[in-house]
Amino acid sequence: MALSRRDFLKSSAAASAAAAVGMSIPSEMQAASTQAQADWRWDKAACRFCGTGCGIMMATKNGRIVAVKGDPAAPVNRGLNCIKGYFNAKIMYGADRLKTPLLRVNSKGEFDKHGKFAPVSWERAFDEMEDHIKKALKESGPEGVGVFASGQYTVMEGYAAQKMMKAGFRSNAIDPNARHCMASAVVGFYQTFGIDEPSGCYDDIELTDTIVSWGSNMAEMHPILWSRVTDRKLTDPDRVKVINISTYRHRTSDLADEELIFTPNSDLAMWNYIAREIVYRDEKEKIIDWDFVNKNMVFCASPVNMGYGMRREGEKSLTPKRPDGSAGKYTAKEMETINQEMVHEVSENEAPALEPYGYKAGDKMVNKPAGLKHWHISFEEYKKFLEPYTLDYVCSVAKGNPDESDEEFKRKLQLVANLYIEKGRKVVSFWTMGMNQHTRGTWVNTLSYNVHFMLNKQAKPGSGAFSLTGQPSACGTAREVGTFAHRLPADLMVKSAKHRKIVEKGWNIPEGTLNPKGHQHIMRIHRDLEDGTMKFAWVNVCNPYQDSASAKHWIKAARNMDNFIVTSDGYPGISAKVSDLILPSAMIYEKWGAYGNAERRTQHWRQQVLPVGDAMSDTWQWVELSKRFTVKDLWGEQILLSNKGKKDTGKLTPKSPKLPNVIDKAIAMGYDENTTMYEILFANEKARSYKIDMNDPIQKGYDNSECMGDSRNVIGSDGKVWEGYGFFIQKYLFEEYASFGRGHGHDLAPFDVYHKVRGLKWPVVDGKETQWRFNVKYDPYAAKAVKKAGTNNTHAFYGPLAKNLLQGDLLGPDKTKGKKALKNKAKIFARPYMDPPEMPNEEYPTWLCTGRVLEHWHSGTMTMRVPELYRAVPEALCYMHPEDAKKYGVKQGQLAWVESRRGKVKARVETRGRNRPSKGLVFVPWFDEKVFINKVCLDATCPQSKQTDYKKCAVKIYAV
């Protein structure tokens, strides 16, 4: 049977789709598909895109990926893919793939920051990196070397990067773009549970009666999960309720039984209203499960005058202050917002919520960095905190659609509260960026748990508050591996001396090597580059010069300051274009890897094809760099710029804090001054024990470019043909990382097991995954904690962090009362509604919200190079209400300026699209570098999580 390519693709796609949905397949079509695929090799892998964790099947032929389909055996997606998932192969074969290192040089071939890019060898690239890193260390110490890391790293890449940065360079200035997408969820988990990651799993969708989406367009951002929600709704349409709570209408709205459109930032007030209904109606209706609360919960409060995570007065780039209101590198318009960081005037909207804290409208709130400080309070104090959140007050601050009546908004809000409260009704609350990208992101995350806890609807099948994740390994690599500035593997923290010792022992490095200061989060890295204190930065698997708010500041710093910026990427995005050196990276299926997804599912894949050109994996790049640095280079005394409790000096002085000289300790351990970091961190005796065996069923028939080299004969970092490490480095890195969590509630299965299954949800104990954490029936660690405590509790919230608190009231802790141990307990927080630092006014009358669309992934670096996806959505549009378009003199399909205090972009107006804002708000997605919306956005962050708030700033709209 002869088939044309077109006929084959049609028959194969049809056969796969039919199989996925359970339809019978015509025998002729099945035969045609089978014949055409006879010489294909199919293998399982994980999807490259969002944090859902879909499994895919990938076919290769003659060294190239030729087909992708959903994996019917994958429990997450069950054979289905979203539109991006079907193009996992095409993202790798764009016409402008980077194939060789590129360096800015002058006419003589010398590095020149203002020169043009020219191809160089890997050896020359590493020479330049070595030289500039050593200069940065000499001038600024460990804090002068930074890494823009990623929730898109594989587990092995992130672990290798962390080892070299924290153990080698002794720098904690490595922070992932996951800081932008789920850091608030992380801190919310830490503060509430004492440990990170969700307690539930996706199975809750099929078990629940109620799905409430808070600030999450699941239909486009998590389409496979939304298909499961849709299936659940249609299975029992009368019983199952779907509620969409959002600042504008979108595709998730279409399935919803009810939709609440709220004013940006007012989700704080709505959560507190629901909590108030529970507490104030409890006396008559017996709503609170007091047995559960008394056994498992405590009530807590925290400071409210903590600012908005922006630059603070006295920082280098805000100096000097000028009479016109400008300061340093910031205009007077920008300073109008930044000044809120220091002193904020309490508004009429905020006053009722802040009255229990002693504030009234017009008061000057002096903001101070508060860190993660919180303390234990009584239930009576918590009840007093909730008193202001009446239906009338919450409607006055939260109603987001000016065309909706107050009565209708209040009806909907009351209905939502009743659905949560209804006895016997299971409820799942889902959210993503709407709650996380928020100047009070940590607060609003904790408020979600309050409602579920008081009703005993958390960590149970079909019920729970569940933070969804945006990136494929934001959980697995950013959080679990610990590539955040403040973290180490498996919930260990750099500030804890005990935790540092555990990691130093696990890495076989001298005690005292690790740096205890983990303050250089991703926005701080940008700001340090602008201040001139950071001299070297390396971009890995992300695009920080497109994805960071107030982007023009960071681009100017990269190009104009005395620094050296390196970007490793598959394509020349904005970050590559502003860099001094570009390194070509192997893409996902050109390397071995693992991801950790949003329901704690870890899954692995094998290298399917060789990298394009001379591209090599990020793991290889980090390990090769480690060969350039010795004990003598890095482990002597190191001076830090940061001085605890005081302003940074901006330069090294004899009084600066120091990291100790550990060279003598290293020699005592058997190293010498010339031992390289490669030998210590990556090619040690333990690493070399992981032998490469070509007959191993996992390895057999597959390439491994890092371990064995490959037929490309790439000229490596030493100027010689790359022949591989000679040991199974990916397996070593995974197993060493996993060792930190095993036996500690983060248990991962062995490397080999993951290659035989479609992922497992940790903790994996005795070969069995855990579906619902903290629940004694399902979680062996909870059962163990309850048994040890000698109780009959149904739950144990066994996370160890921040479980010994001072006692006090809403106004602060009372140190005379001492601390109270909270073992196995979770927390219910009092956290008030507050305005964001920038709101619409007469000059900038419109809210701007940013986000994504279904067809494109983040900055569009990959998906904009897929012809089908590009044709579907070729540009970012400015979605607005038709009456706003008329008001501002702009028309459907025409270009308009979107301008804030920070910058402006031109975008085409869309008044009829899938995103349908109410009057007073516009939505512009950020995937399109031609519509560079992050020049417009504000770099305010949650002061606790340091996550940027991309969901709200003030703009004006006018015709081009």
Side-chain angles (χ1 to χ4, degrees), residues 196-211:
D196 193 11
E197 303 281 5
S199 54
C201 61
Y202 299 153
D203 294 349
D204 287 326
I205 295 171
E206 282 76 30
L207 299 172
T208 195
D209 307 308
T210 318
I211 296 100

Side-chain angles (χ1 to χ4, degrees), residues 291-303:
D291 181 63
F292 177 80
V293 170
N294 289 333
K295 287 179 179 178
N296 297 290
M297 298 294 130
V298 296
F299 297 88
C300 293
S302 57

Side-chain angles (χ1 to χ4, degrees), residues 730-805:
Q730 301 95 341
K731 187 173 183 177
Y732 158 64
L733 291 170
F734 180 82
E735 288 293 343
E736 183 179 89
Y737 145 66
S739 69
F740 288 103
R742 290 178 180 144
H744 304 286
H746 257 97
D747 306 60
L748 296 169
F751 179 91
D752 289 7
V753 168
Y754 286 112
H755 283 280
K756 301 172 184 176
V757 299
R758 262 59 176 182
L760 294 169
K761 298 185 287 287
W762 61 262
V764 181
V765 181
D766 297 328
K768 184 180 179 182
E769 65 180 1
T770 299
Q771 291 174 287
W772 291 277
R773 295 171 83 200
F774 314 123
N775 187 316
V776 169
K777 186 176 180 180
Y778 302 97
D779 183 347
Y781 279 93
K784 181 180 178 181
V786 165
K787 182 177 181 181
K788 185 176 181 180
T791 69
N792 63 349
N793 286 11
T794 59
H795 290 71
F797 299 98
Y798 50 79
L801 299 177
K803 290 294 183 75
N804 196 24
L805 296 181

Side-chain angles (χ1 to χ4, degrees), residues 2-16 29-40 42 59 61 66-68:
L3 279 182
S4 70
R5 174 174 170 77
R6 179 179 178 84
D7 288 339
F8 156 68
L9 289 174
K10 288 172 64 176
S11 63
S12 182
S16 296
M29 180 185 293
Q30 181 66 65
S33 176
T34 301
Q35 177 189 357
Q37 299 179 35
D39 58 349
W40 292 10
W42 286 96
K61 178 182 179 180
V66 293
V68 175

Side-chain angles (χ1 to χ4, degrees), residues 629-636 638 663 672-675 677:
F629 295 89
T630 66
V631 167
K632 184 177 181 180
D633 292 331
L634 303 179
W635 284 359
Q638 296 283 357
I663 293 176
D672 63 46
E673 288 190 342
N674 296 314
T675 305
M677 292 299 118

